[in-house]
Each structure stands twice: as C-alpha cells, then as structure tokens.
Amino acid sequence: MRYHSTRTPPDQGLQFGDILLAGLAPDGGLYLPERYPDITDRLPGWRTVLAEEGYAAVAAEVLELFVDDIPAEDLRRICRAAYSTDNFATEQIVPVSELGDRRWLAHLSDGPTAAFKDLAMQLLGRLFEYELERRDSSLTILGATSGDTGSAAEYAMRGRDNLEVFMLTPRGRMTPFQQAQMFSLDETNIHNIAVAGVFDDAQDLVKAVNADPEFKARYHIGAVNSINWARLMAQIVYYIVAWLRVTEADDQQVSFCVPTGNFGNICAGHLARQLGLPIDRLLLATNENNVLDEFFRTGVYRVRAAAETHETSSPSMDISKASNFERFVHDLYAGDADRVRELFAEQLPNQGYFDLSGTPEFAGLAERFGFASGSSTHADRLATIKRVWQEHRVLIDPHTADAVKVADELARPDETVIVLETALPVKFAATIREAVDREPDRPEAFVGIEDLPRHVVDLPNDVPALKEFIATTLAKGPTPVPDPAP
C-alpha cells in the first residue's frame, strides 16, 4: 500500500513509515492510501476474531490492510501492547451499551486520559517508537489541541526514546480538568505551550511550521493531530468493533452519530464506510460552531475568524476550520487532486470559503456517502444530559450529548444508531453539575489533579516565536534527518 497527498495524483506514493513520520504532506495536503481495500468478505472472520482474541487482534488485521512495510508479527505485538488492560479499563477496550429505542452507546473513553483520542494515541506512540528505532532516528512532535488530543498524545508519548512533544493549546479555552491533565505532566520530553487565540490559531501555527521545509527537516517535525493518517487508521477499528458488537448479520446496516469539530472522528467513519462496513448513514453533530453542519446542509464551507468562534460547553469542538475535511472532499471529487488543490490552496485562503451548492457532486453527496448533519446548543446539551441520566442512569459528557441530541432529531424510527461517546463526564464537571446537580464520578487516578504544579509556557500567536521556542528548547536538537516526503 502506497500513500499520496490529497493534492497530488497517486503516481509517486510513499510507504506507511514515511507518511507516519512526515504527518502533513509538503504541498499542504493530507495523506491518503492509493486505494481503499474492500473489507466486506473479512467481516465474518473478524466477528470470530473479536470473540476469541479481542480488540487488539482485530486492530492488527485492519492495520495489515494499510501497512506493508512493518512485519505482521510486529504489528500484532504493537497492537497487543496498545490495547491491553494496562491502558484501558475493560478487556473489551470499546464496550457498547444500549440506550433503548434502537440507540447504542459506544464507550470510547476507557483509556488513560478518559477520552476517545486514547484509542489512536496509544497505538501511535508505539508506532512512532518502532519506526524511529528501526531508522535510528528521532522525531519532534508538534501538535495542537482543543482539549483531549493534547493529553492523550502526551500520555502516550511521555518518556519514549527519541520523541519530543510540543503541544499547543488555546489559552484559557479548555476546562480546568483538561488543562490539569496536560500541564501537570512533569516529563522532560513534554512541552506545553498556551497561545493567544482559539484552536484554529494553534492549528494554523502547526501547519505554518510544517510548511517550512528547512525547519521541518532540521528538527524532524511530525504530527499527532488527525492530519496524520495513522490516527484515522486506528480510529477505523472502533467503528468496525462497535458494528460487530451491535449486529448479528454480516450485512446488517447501522448508522453512527458522531460529535465532531475537526472532521477527524467522523472522517474515520467515512473511511470505514468506504471500505465496505455496512454503515447506512453518518450523522454529524456540531455545537454552536456549526461550520460542518452548514456545509452538509447548504454546500457552503466557510471558515470563521477567531472572533466568530464561540466558546461553548463542549469545548473540544470549538473549531471553525476542519483540517480533515479535505480528505472527504478528495473522495467527493473522486480523487481529483487539481480540484482539491484549487479549493483548499487557492479559494479557501483567498476568500475564506468555497461554495459547492450548485455542483453535481454536492447534489449526490447524501446518497453517495450517507451524511446528514445537525447542531446543538448549550441548552440542548443540558436537557440531553439530564434526560439520559433520568431515563437510563447513564451520565454522558457534553460532546456526547450533542450527538445524542442530533441522533434523536435525525434518526428514522427503524434506524439503529450507534452514538460515539467521546469522554468521561469528569472532564466537564461544571456542565454536568448544571445539568443534573451532582458531581460526576472521578476515577482515582484523577483525584486532586487540578492541584498539581503546572508546566506550561505562554507564547504569542506568532510563527517565529514558536520556531525560536522549539529550537531553543531542543538546544542541540534531534538528529537531523531528511524529510521523507518528496
């Protein structure tokens, strides 16, 4: 399997190990595989594998479809280490529970940082370590987070040889718990940076640094955000496993409702559907920052400025520039790299939006790809959290509540819907108290975390300042290696 940028025709592909370390393509595009393998005939076997060997075994078989430069036995060993009860609270890794009325909840937050990002990051950390050891090289991870990516990445990468992590956060835009998870880490290879602005500003800084080929090569800059294909590859697995746990027939259709801001979590669902997983519809849920909902309703994709990006009670989705959306548009235009480049490298930077409303591609979008969308407000979140608690004695976090609300709004009476839970409620205690007048349960590992010393540096929203901080912090710097991308 070879990989190419969304902005480049698939004729000069790279191997998985190269794009794992590169993260973002040098032309600004995102990596995709040259083809989507068909998993339809594999599903019956995976049902047996899940029952007899568990989540890690299914993950290894899925990864083998996309990775041909790592021996299968090494992939299986890596998956066993990532998806074990040393890292996750249950042997199922991703259990599901029924909410009634053909609604299911896929629990994705049983990892070390209580968020769905752990399911990809625990794998990604081990893949990085494996590939760097094999190449006798080093990597400087540069990432941005709106809440959960940062802590999941740092917990997965801390203490790992040849890895330095620089994680950008929007100053004051995360909950106290989310900040404490990251800033309380006292590890020599973890560097937290709070920047003025919103998540989109932090994400733009990451992309700007990646766009400097000399700096990227000198410090071997890589990515853990969902711009890195390996993140999405790992997330495809939990769609497959959730489907296997809910269905009985190998062709049974289900729908997924997914809260998303950066189009990462639901992009993995789109990819799973492209592979042949029997997904009827993908119900996309946003909060008040409804850029994606607006596109799927109108065909207009319009990014918002920082001043237009609302600070909400589901803060991990306070995003107005969805990085992974480019991968979907690439599929929407059947791999037309020139069209993708025109939209994302020309129209979007120059005018702040593009309009596909009158195109045949948008007209056939719902039928071809199964997308429908909706949005949620703070009042909706409170009402949904309260209702689910009263009716089912299940406490859900605000982002999951956004998805439950949209599922209730869009699902057909005969439609089986799996809602993807994103985090434990303890991460958003203030909203939980407002909704149900009680404290969320707090796992023992997180008791007193807000009182620990903080390790974070404030920086302006400025590319040269960020580069200077990275260079100064690394001092002598990691071993210089050439950028693997052409």
Side-chain angles (χ1 to χ4, degrees):
M1 180 69 76
R2 295 281 174 160
Y3 293 84
H4 65 97
S5 167
T6 49
R7 303 180 189 183
T8 304
D11 55 356
Q12 294 181 342
L14 300 170
Q15 289 189 304
F16 172 77
D18 295 327
I19 63 112
L20 169 70
L21 299 182
L24 190 70
D27 61 5
L30 306 181
Y31 287 114
L32 277 173
E34 60 190 354
R35 58 182 173 80
Y36 293 136
D38 187 347
I39 65 172
T40 307
D41 292 339
R42 297 174 181 266
L43 293 174
W46 284 347
R47 193 180 296 278
T48 302
V49 170
L50 180 64
E52 296 181 354
E53 301 179 59
Y55 188 98
V58 175
E61 294 201 15
V62 174
L63 264 58
E64 286 175 27
L65 300 175
F66 297 103
V67 180
D68 56 15
D69 54 343
I70 298 177
E73 180 51 43
D74 289 346
L75 278 178
R76 289 191 288 271
R77 176 178 52 80
I78 289 168
C79 287
R80 286 194 298 268
Y83 302 118
S84 72
T85 51
D86 290 337
N87 301 317
F88 291 87
T90 69
E91 290 186 358
Q92 289 183 307
I93 309 300
V94 174
V96 297
S97 61
E98 193 168 5
L99 288 178
D101 298 325
R102 304 176 71 92
R103 301 285 191 279
W104 295 81
L105 198 62
H107 299 271
L108 307 183
S109 60
D110 284 344
T113 69
F116 79 96
K117 307 292 178 70
D118 289 321
L119 285 156
M121 291 300 184
Q122 286 298 315
L123 177 69
L124 201 59
R126 288 163 175 81
L127 287 171
F128 279 143
E129 192 170 51
Y130 175 91
E131 193 64 28
L132 293 172
E133 182 179 345
R134 186 163 67 169
R135 298 179 181 216
D136 190 24
S137 185
S138 61
L139 188 66
T140 301
I141 295 296
L142 179 61
T145 183
S146 56
D148 294 327
T149 292
S151 57
E154 291 180 354
Y155 275 70
M157 310 294 168
R158 60 180 178 171
R160 294 197 180 276
D161 293 339
N162 301 327
L163 274 171
E164 295 282 335
V165 179
F166 292 82
M167 189 60 62
L168 278 61
T169 63
R171 190 178 307 145
R173 286 273 185 157
M174 302 189 303
T175 70
F177 186 97
Q178 289 175 309
Q179 293 180 49
Q181 274 193 304
M182 294 180 60
F183 301 163
S184 65
L185 284 178
D186 187 12
E187 301 278 349
T188 57
N189 71 325
I190 301 297
H191 313 284
N192 286 303
I193 304 166
V195 299
V198 297
F199 168 76
D200 297 318
D201 297 314
Q203 184 169 250
D204 285 345
L205 288 173
V206 171
K207 290 182 176 180
V209 172
N210 273 276
D212 181 339
E214 189 279 329
F215 190 88
K216 181 173 181 175
R218 181 178 181 185
Y219 294 105
H220 204 187
I221 302 294
V224 292
N225 286 81
S226 49
I227 59 175
N228 192 314
W229 163 259
R231 275 275 306 273
L232 295 179
M233 180 182 69
Q235 290 175 267
I236 290 170
V237 178
Y238 58 67
Y239 279 89
I240 294 170
V241 168
W243 178 87
L244 289 170
R245 295 201 192 283
V246 166
T247 61
E248 295 181 357
D250 293 328
D251 60 351
Q252 183 177 337
Q253 295 273 326
V254 303
S255 295
F256 285 86
C257 190
V258 188
T260 191
N262 207 24
F263 206 78
N265 201 3
I266 202 165
C267 187
H270 161 69
L271 294 166
R273 192 176 189 270
Q274 294 292 93
L275 298 179
L277 190 67
I279 295 176
D280 182 10
R281 295 198 298 164
L282 290 163
L283 309 179
L284 181 151
T286 70
N287 61 15
E288 292 89 337
N289 297 295
N290 62 346
V291 171
L292 292 169
D293 177 38
E294 180 178 73
F295 171 79
F296 283 100
R297 286 186 294 102
T298 70
V300 177
Y301 179 68
R302 181 178 67 88
V303 300
R304 312 307 198 239
E308 296 179 275
T309 303
H310 303 287
E311 187 172 358
T312 77
S313 53
S314 51
S316 297
M317 299 197 300
D318 290 351
I319 298 170
S320 293
K321 189 182 296 182
S323 285
N324 271 286
F325 188 56
E326 183 168 333
R327 285 187 168 109
F328 171 71
V329 173
H330 179 273
D331 288 346
L332 182 66
Y333 278 93
D336 185 342
D338 291 337
R339 181 62 169 144
V340 172
R341 187 169 55 252
E342 176 189 357
L343 292 173
F344 286 91
E346 299 173 17
Q347 288 191 29
L348 199 60
N350 292 329
Q351 62 188 30
Y353 73 95
F354 55 74
D355 184 355
L356 306 185
S357 59
T359 66
E361 287 79 10
F362 181 75
L365 185 156
E367 182 177 353
R368 287 174 60 202
F369 299 104
F371 274 95
S373 70
S375 62
S376 180
T377 66
H378 179 66
D380 293 328
R381 285 187 280 282
L382 295 180
T384 302
I385 292 169
K386 183 176 182 179
R387 179 184 65 77
V388 172
W389 174 248
Q390 290 178 338
E391 294 181 3
H392 304 288
R393 308 313 286 177
V394 173
L395 204 54
I396 57 176
D397 80 281
H399 308 77
T400 307
D402 287 335
V404 172
K405 183 264 181 183
V406 169
D408 288 345
E409 184 176 77
L410 297 182
R412 299 184 292 260
D414 62 345
E415 190 172 16
T416 297
V417 179
I418 302 174
V419 174
L420 295 191
E421 176 226 44
T422 63
L424 291 186
V426 67
K427 305 189 84 165
F428 311 96
T431 303
I432 300 302
R433 288 194 297 269
E434 187 178 357
V436 296
D437 194 28
R438 59 156 285 176
E439 289 289 332
D441 294 335
R442 178 175 288 239
E444 185 177 350
F446 301 135
V447 172
I449 192 172
E450 293 93 341
D451 300 325
L452 295 174
R454 293 162 60 97
H455 306 277
V456 59
V457 173
D458 287 343
L459 284 183
N461 182 6
D462 180 72
V463 174
L466 175 59
K467 288 181 177 178
E468 181 181 359
F469 178 75
I470 292 171
T472 302
T473 302
L474 292 175
K476 295 180 180 179
T479 304
V481 295
D483 190 333

